[in-house]
Amino acid sequence: MPASDSTLEKSAPLNTSQTREARKPGIILAFIGVAQFMVFLDVSIVNVALPSIQDSLKMPEVNLEYIITAYGTVLGGFLLLGGRLADRFGRRRMLQSGLVVFALTSLVAGLAQNGTMLIGARAVQGLGSALIAPAALSILTNTFAEGPARNKALGIWGALTGLASVAGVILGGLLTQGPGWRWIFFINVPIGLVAAVIAPTIVREGRGKDRAPFDTAGAVALTASLLLLIFTLGEAVYVGWTTFRTIGSLVGVVALFVAFLVIESRAASPLIPLTIFRLRALRTANIATVLLFGTTVTLFFFASLFMQQVYGYSPTRAGLAYVPLAVVVSVGAGLASNLVTKVAAKPVLLIGLSLTSVGLFLLWRAPAFGSYATDLLPAFLIVGLGLGMSFVTLQITAFVGVGKEESGLAAGLINTSQEAGGALGVAIAATIAFSKIAPLKAAAHGDPVLLRYGRAEVFHQAFLVGIFFSVGALLLAVALLPWARPSERPDAPPVA
């Protein structure tokens, strides 16, 4: 650290945004990386356990998506508020609070006696994660100055996001077939509580200068619109798309979102100051992230069910089937974090999204009576490499030109895009895919071979939706992502 920075660090109050978070950035990164890993691990860890949870709690198949979307929607809806709270009351304080909430609601989820209790616990668990994720990412961006150091740290951060998603399905399979599915939640309890206790010994307190009232009404309106949209998509399978109930709910979604925009335009301290979207790299990265995580969560949700319900895999075998994917995600992330400082982010992202689309296409073509080696493994290797490259590149791009005072907002925004995208993606895919279950079962007339073909067709529809998401992100990046390298423009003005 330069001498001038060191002097500033000693003389400035600890609650200013100018304070560098630590003299030990590597330890800080490792600690907040664990917190980030927990948040994104719980997005995917339940996927392999879904059939076991369904049998244990007697849940209808079409309600399984709510175990995923309740967590992701609340997390996505309150992440921006979490970022504001971190800047206002202290990043470390919000990180600790989130860890405690996350740990305690994980305990409730593990003790759930019915689907309603589990889904409710997952929703509150998402609220805890909404305090953890933006605080941790804001700590990172205040620890590392914009440029190569931050790019490298964000590369590691993006890799952890991708690895957590893959590790979740592996660990979920091992725990489900081992001590039981409840342990996918119990394991969070000691980790979260211990991390909350030791946080003051590792991370200094830090906050932004802004003391304006935070926008709770905006957070509630945004989250309510997301929750109502996801619930409407799920219920449309039962009641139909042309019913008054579905149409009325969609009108309600639009009304809530319009209310959110009105609140933001009039609030003294809006949840999302719309001026931040003048940064072209930020706005493009966030939209592409919505689509990418729609692809990612759809992939893990339906590939886990496909392997168990079509190929007859046990939870452990289904979890271990993702190991090669996890390896190539880390390879892709490492490759991207090096390339993005040497060449423009755009070609790196285009390669990553293209590989993701190709891998999903291979899954869409996987036959009902195929094999892992010839039909699943090649798809997993290709899609894993693509996801790893895409995670890192979008994470770095989303912070180009963002100052320290807006780091909490930018952190909340990119995490919101990830979680909202994942929740919406699986909700849309489930709505389309599960709507075909009843007619396919009726057409099978109880024949096990025809039932297997029917189930494969259901999951193929979901993979096709995932392809549309990834191709959409690819086209968006082609059209809108700027070519400049992140490290080339640390002081560049906003790009309209």
Side-chain angles (χ1 to χ4, degrees), residues 75-149:
L75 171 52
F78 282 99
L79 272 168
L80 289 167
L81 181 62
R84 289 300 215 188
L85 290 172
D87 285 342
R88 172 79 181 275
F89 294 109
R91 302 176 185 112
R92 189 185 70 198
R93 182 178 297 174
M94 287 301 104
L95 180 66
Q96 290 177 280
S97 300
L99 286 167
V100 171
V101 171
F102 184 85
L104 295 180
T105 51
S106 293
L107 178 62
V108 175
L111 296 173
Q113 299 301 304
N114 53 60
T116 301
M117 183 176 177
L118 176 58
I119 292 168
R122 287 282 286 170
V124 183
Q125 194 182 33
L127 182 61
S129 294
L131 300 178
I132 296 171
L137 189 51
S138 185
I139 289 169
L140 182 152
T141 56
N142 280 275
T143 300
F144 298 91
E146 184 171 356

Side-chain angles (χ1 to χ4, degrees), residues 39 42-43 67-75 102 122 125-126 129:
V39 168
D42 264 62
V43 176
I67 301 174
I68 307 293
T69 56
Y71 177 82
T73 304
V74 175
L75 171 52
F102 184 85
R122 287 282 286 170
Q125 194 182 33
S129 294

